[in-house]
C-alpha cells in the first residue's frame, strides 16, 4: 500500500513538472517602438490581467519575457488581446464586509494591460485582479471607465452607483436599442459584451467588429463509459477473545463499470474539472473455512461467506497535465459514497449449527487516481482507494480495500 501511494505521489510530482509548460499559440506583440513582431505567446488562460508574457519568434527559438514596460499590445490570435493604457481604476472593495459608505469611486491612476472584449466602433475592455473587476470603453480615442460601485447607506442596506447606465445611454447611436434595454444591462462581461456587439452591428450583422473569446468551441460537460477491473481484498477481525469470526478472504479480481460525468471549470485552459461517476462493483466469496478449538480441545470447522455488491459514487476533482495536442495526463482525488445493493451481507455457520448474518453498511472513503487520455476520447487510469469498514460498530472490523485499472471512452 505505501509503495503504491509513493509511486502515485512521484507520478504526480513528475507530471506536474511536465505540465508547467503551457501551450504556445500564434500571436504577435507590438513593442514600445511600435514594431509588430509575429510569433507565439504562452497562453495560461489568464484569470487576472497579466503584467508580463512569454513570447518566442518561432518554435525553435527560446522564449523571452516581455513586461508591460516593453510592449504596447499583444494578441493571441482570435482568443485574447490586451492593450497597454493609463487609466483611472476604481479600487473600491466589492467585498460585503469591506464596502465603503462613499458613493463616489476611489479612482487610482494605473498603467495596466486591458483585455479587449469587443473591438470596433465601440470597444469594450476589462481589467481584473484579485480584488476588483472593472470595465472600460473607448470614447473619442480615450479609454474611459464604466462606473459602477456598491456602497453602504446603513449597516444592513446596500445601494448602487449605476453611472455606467447613463454612460451607455449617452453614446448609444443605435435606434433599435431602447433606453429600457440599456437600463437592464448588468455590470458583467456577458451583459456588456452582448450590448457592445449590438452597438457595433446595429441591425447590420455584417458590420465590422471583433470579439475575443478564449472559450470558443469549448465543451463544458463530458460523459464517459468506464469499464475496468477491481483488485479487492476483505479481512474481517473480531475484537472479542473468541476469534470464530476472523476470516481473511484474500484478494479477488472482479469487474466494474461506471458512467462518468465531467464538468469542466472555465479556467486555466480547462485543466480543472469536477467529476462524478456512479459505478457498479461487487465482491463475493463462498464457504470459506475458519477453524477454531472448543473448550474441550476439539478442532471444529466453521464456514464464512460474503456477498457484497454496491453502487459507488466518487465525487471529486481532476487536474489535466497537457503533454501535447493529443496526449495528457490526469490526476483525481475523490470522496467515494458507497451504497450497498440487495442482500449484501457476511454469513457465518458456527459449528454447522448456528447461523449469524451481518448486514454490510454504507460508507465513505477516499480515492486517488492517475491516468492518461488520448485525443480527448480514450483513457486508462490506475485508481487506489483507502480502506473502508463494511461492518460498522459491533465486534467485527471488516477492512475492505480496492485498487482498479480503468479504461474509458468519452461519448461527448
Amino acid at each position: 500500500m505505501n509503495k503504491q501511494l509513493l509511486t502515485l505521489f512521484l507520478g504526480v510530482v513528475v507530471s506536474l513538472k511536465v505540465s508547467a509548460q503551457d501551450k504556445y499559440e500564434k500571436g504577435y506583440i507590438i513593442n514600445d517602438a511600435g514594431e509588430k513582431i509575429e510569433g507565439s505567446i504562452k497562453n495560461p488562460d489568464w484569470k487576472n490581467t497579466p503584467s508580463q508574457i512569454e513570447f518566442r519568434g518561432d518554435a525553435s527559438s527560446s522564449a523571452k519575457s516581455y513586461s508591460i514596460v516593453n510592449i504596447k499590445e499583444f494578441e493571441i490570435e482570435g482568443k485574447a488581446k490586451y492593450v497597454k493604457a493609463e487609466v483611472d481604476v476604481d479600487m473600491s472593495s466589492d467585498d460585503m464586509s469591506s464596502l465603503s459608505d462613499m458613493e463616489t469611486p476611489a479612482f487610482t491612476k494605473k498603467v495596466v494591460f486591458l483585455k479587449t472584449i469587443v473591438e470596433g466602433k465601440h470597444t469594450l475592455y476589462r481589467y481584473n485582479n484579485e480584488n476588483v473587476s472593472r470595465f472600460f470603453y473607448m470614447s473619442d480615442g480615450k479609454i474611459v471607465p464604466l462606473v459602477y460601485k456598491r456602497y453602504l447607506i446603513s449597516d444592513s442596506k446596500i445601494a448602487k452607483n449605476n453611472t455606467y447606465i447613463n454612460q451607455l445611454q449617452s453614446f448609444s447611436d443605435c435606434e433599435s436599442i431602447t433606453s429600457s434595454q440599456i437600463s437592464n444591462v448588468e455590470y458583467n462581461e456577458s451583459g456588456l459584451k452582448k450590448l457592445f456587439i449590438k452597438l457595433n452591428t446595429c441591425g447590420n450583422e455584417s458590420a465590422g467588429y471583433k470579439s475575443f473569446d478564449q472559450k470558443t468551441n469549448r465543451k463544458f460537460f463530458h460523459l464517459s463509459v468506464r469499464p475496468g477491473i477491481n483488485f479487492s481484498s476483505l479481512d474481517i477481525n473480531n475484537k472479542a477473545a473468541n476469534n470464530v469470526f476472523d476470516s481473511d478472504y484474500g484478494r479477488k479480481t472482479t469487474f466494474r463499470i461506471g458512467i462518468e460525468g465531467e464538468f469542466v471549470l472555465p479556467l486555466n485552459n480547462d485543466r480543472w474539472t469536477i467529476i462524478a461517476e456512479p459505478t457498479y462493483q461487487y465482491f463475493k466469496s463462498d464457504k470459506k473455512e475458519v477453524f477454531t478449538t472448543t473448550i474441550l480441545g476439539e478442532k471444529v470447522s466453521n464456514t464464512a461467506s460474503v456477498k457484497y455488491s454496491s453502487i459507488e459514487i466518487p465525487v471529486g476533482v481532476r487536474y489535466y497535465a497537457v503533454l501535447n495536442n493529443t496526449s495528457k495526463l490526469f490526476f483525481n482525488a475523490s470522496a467515494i459514497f458507497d451504497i450497498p445493493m440487495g442482500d449484501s451481507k457476511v454469513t457465518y455457520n458456527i459449528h454447522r449449527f448456528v447461523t449469524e448474518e451481518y448486514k454490510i453498511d454504507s460508507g465513505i472513503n477516499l480515492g486517488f487516481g492517475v491516468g492518461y487520455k488520448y485525443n480527448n476520447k480514450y483513457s486508462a487510469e490506475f485508481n487506489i482507494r483507502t480502506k473502508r469498514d463494511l461492518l460498522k460498530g459491533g465486534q467485527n472490523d471488516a477492512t475492505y480495500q480496492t485498487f482498479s485499472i480503468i479504461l474509458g471512452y468519452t461519448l461527448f
Side-chain angles (χ1 to χ4, degrees), residues 25-26 35 115 161 169 193 195 239 249 260 272 312 340 345 359 379 402-403:
E25 299 186 42
K26 185 178 179 182
E35 300 170 319
K115 179 182 178 182
N161 177 343
Q169 301 273 16
K193 180 177 180 179
L195 176 65
K239 301 173 186 177
Y249 293 92
E260 179 188 81
W272 289 97
E312 292 183 332
K345 62 186 178 181
K359 183 180 179 182
S379 65
T402 300
F403 70 87

Side-chain angles (χ1 to χ4, degrees), residues 6 160 292 295:
L6 178 60
K160 296 179 182 179
T292 58
I295 57 174

Side-chain angles (χ1 to χ4, degrees), residues 75-76 200 234:
E75 179 181 338
I76 297 173
N200 280 295
L234 176 61

Side-chain angles (χ1 to χ4, degrees), residues 15 18 88 90 101 128 178 183 186 255 294 349 377 386 400:
S15 61
V18 172
D88 291 321
D90 177 15
D101 57 2
N128 212 66
T178 66
S183 296
E186 296 288 335
F255 177 74
T294 68
N349 291 309
K377 279 287 184 183
T386 58
Y400 184 73

Side-chain angles (χ1 to χ4, degrees), residues 95-317:
D95 190 319
M96 287 288 295
S97 62
S98 303
L99 291 180
S100 77
D101 57 2
M102 299 293 293
E103 180 183 5
T104 55
F107 283 124
T108 300
K109 195 167 289 292
K110 288 177 172 286
V111 177
V112 297
F113 280 131
L114 295 178
K115 179 182 178 182
T116 306
I117 307 299
V118 177
E119 184 177 57
K121 179 183 177 182
H122 300 281
T123 300
L124 174 67
Y125 302 98
R126 181 174 188 169
Y127 171 76
N128 212 66
N129 68 17
E130 296 293 343
N131 301 310
V132 300
S133 181
R134 301 288 183 250
F135 294 93
F136 299 79
Y137 70 100
M138 178 74 77
S139 174
D140 297 325
K142 184 179 179 181
I143 297 177
V144 180
L146 286 167
V147 177
Y148 169 81
K149 181 182 178 181
R150 296 197 306 164
Y151 61 97
L152 292 173
I153 55 176
S154 70
D155 289 341
S156 60
K157 192 171 182 180
I158 297 173
K160 296 179 182 179
N161 177 343
N162 287 326
T163 301
Y164 77 97
I165 296 294
N166 295 330
Q167 292 174 285
L168 296 173
Q169 301 273 16
S170 68
F171 68 76
S172 173
D173 54 2
C174 183
E175 293 181 358
S176 62
I177 302 176
T178 66
S179 176
S180 62
Q181 285 176 319
I182 293 178
S183 296
N184 290 325
V185 173
E186 296 288 335
Y187 192 82
N188 57 45
E189 183 168 327
S190 175
L192 289 169
K193 180 177 180 179
K194 288 178 183 177
L195 176 65
F196 271 74
I197 289 174
K198 288 181 180 179
L199 288 170
N200 280 295
T201 55
C202 194
N204 179 11
E205 296 300 325
S206 61
Y209 78 93
K210 193 171 183 180
S211 174
F212 295 88
D213 191 357
Q214 285 270 20
K215 299 168 181 58
T216 301
N217 297 322
R218 284 184 176 178
K219 295 179 180 178
F220 291 98
F221 178 75
H222 301 293
L223 189 70
S224 301
V225 179
R226 287 169 39 99
I229 301 296
N230 282 350
F231 302 92
S232 305
S233 63
L234 176 61
D235 186 12
I236 299 178
N237 291 292
N238 186 254
K239 301 173 186 177
N242 186 348
N243 66 350
V244 66
F245 297 111
D246 288 357
S247 48
D248 184 353
Y249 293 92
R251 191 171 294 281
K252 303 288 183 181
T253 302
T254 58
F255 177 74
R256 53 91 74 196
I257 181 71
I259 300 292
E260 179 188 81
E262 184 176 21
F263 301 85
V264 182
L265 299 177
L267 50 88
N268 200 209
N269 280 321
D270 299 345
R271 290 188 175 183
W272 289 97
T273 67
I274 296 174
I275 53 175
E277 184 188 2
T279 304
Y280 171 77
Q281 65 94 40
Y282 67 95
F283 184 96
K284 185 178 181 181
S285 182
D286 293 324
K287 303 299 183 183
K288 178 178 177 62
E289 279 196 304
V290 181
F291 291 97
T292 58
T293 303
T294 68
I295 57 174
L296 299 176
E298 180 185 4
K299 190 175 184 181
V300 294
S301 173
N302 311 277
T303 59
S305 63
V306 60
K307 183 172 69 171
Y308 170 43
S309 61
S310 71
I311 298 295
E312 292 183 332
I313 307 178
V315 178
V317 295

Side-chain angles (χ1 to χ4, degrees), residues 40-58:
S40 57
I41 298 170
K42 188 177 183 179
N43 182 10
D45 192 11
W46 297 278
K47 177 185 177 183
N48 294 321
T49 303
S51 58
Q52 66 176 35
I53 62 168
E54 300 291 320
F55 177 84
R56 61 188 186 193
D58 55 60

